[in-house]
Amino acid sequence: MEQNEGQVVASKQQERLAFLLLTAVVFPLATVLIVAGYGFFVWMWQLLYAGPPTGH
């Protein structure tokens, strides 16, 4: 495999590490943050504007 000047070619080990980091850390963390952020938004919306949910 040729390397051009100034270009870095990722090795298979680096690619595997990046994949594991994304699948085991970044995506789960992003998912939790998105769900928590939505829950916080709904909570604040009800607290400030809509009021608590009613039974009717």
Side-chain angles (χ1 to χ4, degrees):
M1 186 180 300
E2 292 183 24
Q3 292 184 3
N4 295 335
E5 189 175 330
Q7 269 188 328
V8 177
V9 177
S11 68
K12 287 197 180 287
Q13 183 179 8
Q14 288 173 327
E15 288 181 10
R16 200 171 288 125
L17 181 63
F19 174 76
L20 289 174
L21 181 67
L22 282 172
T23 58
V25 177
V26 175
F27 289 148
L29 184 62
T31 302
V32 168
L33 290 175
I34 289 168
V35 171
Y38 178 72
F40 183 77
F41 171 76
V42 169
W43 179 47
M44 282 292 122
W45 177 261
Q46 288 181 341
L47 182 68
L48 298 174
Y49 300 109
T54 60
H56 53 313

